[in-house]
Amino acid sequence: MKRRSFLYYWIAHSSISLAGVVYIMVLTTFMYQESGSAFIAALFPLFNAVARFAAGFTAPLVMEKSGFSKLLVRLQVMKVLLLTMLVILFPYISSQVYILCIFILLIAFTEGWGNPLIQSMVPRIVASDRLVKANSSLSVTSQSLQIAGYTFTGFVVIRFGHMPTLIMSCLLVWLSVICLWIAVRSMKEKELAGGGQEKPSWDVIREGWLYLWRIPTLRWITMMDMIEGVAGTIWVGAITLVYVKEVLHQGEAWWGFINASYYIGAIAGGLLTLLISSFIQKNLIACMAAGSAVFSLLTLWYGLNSVPVVALILCIAMGPAYQLRDVAQQTAFQSAVDHQMLPKVYASRDILLSTITSLSIAVIGLIADTLGIRMVYIAGSVCIAISAGLSFMILKLQKNAVTPPAGETADSSVS
């Protein structure tokens, strides 16, 4: 691991994670307080999601025009300049919802273009045998900062107001820009020179999709991600609240306890994966399967349980299982793609996952209304179990790659 480059990337990644939580909470609460309308407040996350979805389709075209390092820094500079303009103009445009929405759309576009690049940096600055350790440390920090962000941003807004809190978010993004710029400097000499034969736009857009489909490891991991994306919607706030009230027969306070215990488990799980990173690195697919299987069983138990304290314990226990699966899955995905192609593949993957997640929320809500809240968690546990089963397909691919039949060569794309 290039310690200096990763240290600066880690600071940038942490700053972006915290800034994102603060930014979302500040604007959502502000729009709700000003309008008194939940619909108007919901426009912010809606516009943010739509813009990032649209940016995902055009991201390969943007990536084709510039080198990785230049584009990464330029997009982050664009984002921070837009956010700075929003902060400066906020006192004057705060009553104009449509102007706020324009800023939200523009900032979301820069995030939609830039996030696949940021995600793709880890394999560029970290040795392949240290990817699990790097992903684990990033996961622990991100989870911790998200808890802090969601816990304390509301207090900061009440104590100091929306404007100072928004300035804090802007300063965090400026910090991330500086750190990313320092981190990418060591990568420039290794970048491929731009130019070459210009590809048709459609070929550029579908390049990442073709990689997802043609490389067996990527195909199976993406299918696992999609299935787990369906299962992940069982943890949205409204579903958890219904579970607390109808199954645990507790008040809203326990909604907070459930969320807090899950985050505690996620942080503990991140620390555990960091501790056993060498073992996970050598057994990526087996760890994916084990993590998914345990997570599935705990989710099923959680759905069938009616004891509040047991629910808290199960949520904490889910954290290590989830992190084991997630870190191993992320590392396997990064290891299966060439560094130059990884940003386009991430962009395509993000579109799939965001679409699946959006559709799943409606389906999960329908299941909760018609079949009851317990069936939601039973369905989720089945989805996770299916995902665990798919990991054995990747194990089979690995075995075939190691011991190919006579006269054949191993598939170099299997990682």
Side-chain angles (χ1 to χ4, degrees):
M1 188 184 296
K2 298 176 184 175
R3 295 184 183 276
R4 186 169 177 270
S5 295
F6 182 74
L7 174 62
Y8 282 107
Y9 174 79
W10 176 77
I11 295 172
H13 186 274
S14 302
S15 300
I16 291 170
S17 296
L18 183 56
V21 172
V22 175
Y23 169 72
I24 288 171
M25 289 197 68
V26 168
L27 289 190
T28 302
T29 56
F30 176 80
M31 291 173 75
Y32 180 74
Q33 287 181 9
E34 287 296 304
S35 65
S37 167
F39 173 75
I40 296 296
L43 287 178
F44 168 49
L46 176 63
F47 280 16
N48 195 51
V50 169
R52 293 178 67 166
F53 181 84
F57 277 106
T58 56
L61 294 174
V62 178
M63 294 171 190
E64 194 73 10
K65 302 297 182 183
S66 302
F68 181 92
S69 297
K70 284 184 179 179
L71 183 59
L72 176 63
V73 175
R74 285 174 182 174
L75 286 171
Q76 293 306 303
V77 169
M78 285 175 58
K79 175 183 174 180
V80 78
L81 289 177
L82 285 167
L83 189 55
T84 302
M85 287 178 60
L86 176 61
V87 169
I88 294 171
L89 297 175
F90 192 75
Y92 309 102
I93 65 172
S94 56
S95 60
Q96 307 295 324
V97 174
Y98 71 94
I99 298 179
L100 285 176
C101 288
I102 290 173
F103 272 102
I104 289 167
L105 284 170
L106 293 174
I107 292 171
F109 260 100
T110 63
E111 290 177 338
W113 288 326
N115 284 352
L117 296 168
I118 294 173
Q119 288 176 296
S120 304
M121 257 192 89
V122 178
R124 291 171 178 257
I125 59 176
V126 176
S128 59
D129 62 341
R130 306 294 294 277
L131 278 175
V132 168
K133 189 172 185 179
N135 287 325
S136 298
S137 62
L138 290 170
S139 179
V140 171
T141 309
S142 180
Q143 295 282 358
S144 302
L145 289 174
Q146 284 185 25
I147 294 175
Y150 283 115
T151 302
F152 296 110
T153 300
F155 169 78
V156 174
V157 168
I158 293 171
R159 180 68 177 82
F160 300 103
H162 290 90
M163 185 69 175
T165 314
L166 193 59
I167 291 173
M168 181 178 72
S169 176
C170 186
L171 292 175
L172 285 168
V173 179
W174 272 111
L175 175 62
S176 73
V177 170
I178 295 169
C179 290
L180 279 177
W181 177 75
I182 296 172
V184 301
R185 285 175 63 190
S186 63
M187 297 161 41
K188 286 189 176 181
E189 69 275 12
K190 294 186 176 182
E191 286 190 353
L192 296 176
Q197 186 175 2
E198 189 172 341
K199 302 174 186 175
S201 297
W202 175 243
D203 288 347
V204 173
I205 290 174
R206 68 177 187 158
E207 212 168 4
W209 297 96
L210 291 175
Y211 261 71
L212 281 178
W213 177 252
R214 289 178 179 173
I215 299 179
T217 302
L218 293 184
R219 183 167 68 245
W220 288 112
I221 291 177
T222 303
M223 289 176 65
M224 291 173 65
D225 281 336
M226 292 171 66
I227 294 170
E228 289 159 9
V230 175
T233 55
I234 68 178
W235 301 106
V236 297
I239 297 296
T240 305
L241 182 58
V242 173
Y243 171 84
V244 166
K245 289 191 170 184
E246 294 187 3
V247 176
L248 301 183
H249 304 293
Q250 300 294 321
E252 286 82 355
W254 273 83
W255 184 31
F257 297 156
I258 292 291
N259 290 328
S261 62
Y262 184 80
Y263 273 114
I264 290 169
I267 293 172
L271 293 173
L272 176 63
T273 57
L274 195 59
L275 185 65
I276 61 172
S277 59
S278 297
F279 175 81
I280 298 172
Q281 188 77 54
K282 296 174 184 176
N283 303 275
L284 286 177
I285 311 304
C287 288
M288 283 167 50
S292 293
V294 174
F295 192 36
S296 172
L297 291 173
L298 291 174
T299 302
L300 178 61
W301 188 0
Y302 178 85
L304 298 176
N305 169 66
S306 299
V307 181
V309 175
V310 173
L312 294 182
I313 295 171
L314 289 172
C315 282
I316 294 173
M318 286 178 200
Y322 173 83
Q323 291 287 49
L324 179 64
R325 184 212 72 192
D326 192 57
V327 169
Q329 210 158 303
Q330 174 85 323
T331 305
F333 192 93
Q334 293 168 343
S335 303
V337 191
D338 178 77
H339 296 172
Q340 301 297 327
M341 185 54 58
L342 192 55
K344 293 179 182 178
V345 176
Y346 264 128
S348 301
R349 172 179 171 269
D350 288 349
I351 292 171
L352 276 177
L353 297 186
S354 62
T355 303
I356 288 292
T357 300
S358 300
L359 295 174
S360 300
I361 291 173
V363 174
I364 291 297
L366 184 63
I367 292 174
D369 288 341
T370 56
L371 301 178
I373 196 66
R374 289 188 188 276
M375 280 303 301
V376 167
Y377 293 97
I378 293 172
S381 69
V382 170
C383 287
I384 301 167
I386 293 171
S387 174
L390 290 179
S391 62
F392 290 102
M393 297 299 298
I394 307 177
L395 277 174
K396 184 178 178 181
L397 288 172
Q398 281 189 329
K399 289 179 181 178
N400 291 339
V402 174
T403 56
E408 294 185 14
T409 58
D411 183 354
S412 61
S413 67
V414 178
S415 179

